[in-house]
Amino acid sequence: FSGVLAEDVLRALLELQDTLAATTAWAPEAGRNVTLQDVCYAPLNPTAPVVGDCAVSSVTQYFQNNGTHLALTAAQGDGEGQGTADWHDHLIYCV
């Protein structure tokens, strides 16, 4: 994999998503700071969403938007050889 599907790019995207999720902005008409959960699409909890309820359309969702999941590996064998499955394999299996 290369380009946008390189591990360092995926990690940077996770970091950017975390930064955006923590961003606040002053809303003068509301008289308070607003956050992502105030404006996101949260179909499973529309009345009182938290950031984790916001729908995210991102390649990082294949790893539950979690850097630890991106780093996971697992032993894998096919009867003829043994290997290690990592984020590349997980992404291929998902798509």
Side-chain angles (χ1 to χ4, degrees):
F1 290 86
S2 65
V4 296
L5 289 179
E7 185 175 1
D8 61 330
V9 174
L10 294 174
R11 291 201 174 279
L13 181 55
L14 283 168
E15 202 173 298
L16 176 60
Q17 286 177 195
D18 288 343
T19 300
L20 292 174
T23 299
T24 62
W26 178 253
E29 289 183 19
R32 66 180 181 88
N33 281 328
V34 294
T35 63
L36 177 63
Q37 62 214 37
D38 293 312
V39 297
C40 78
Y41 175 60
L44 299 179
N45 188 9
T47 56
V50 295
V51 171
D53 295 328
C54 299
V56 176
S57 295
S58 171
V59 67
T60 61
Q61 190 62 37
Y62 289 111
F63 309 98
Q64 291 77 44
N65 294 316
N66 184 312
T68 302
H69 293 172
L70 180 62
L72 289 175
T73 61
Q76 178 178 339
D78 63 1
E80 295 180 18
Q82 198 67 12
T84 302
D86 64 4
W87 70 272
H88 299 94
D89 302 290
H90 180 75
L91 192 59
I92 289 169
Y93 297 151
C94 288
V95 296

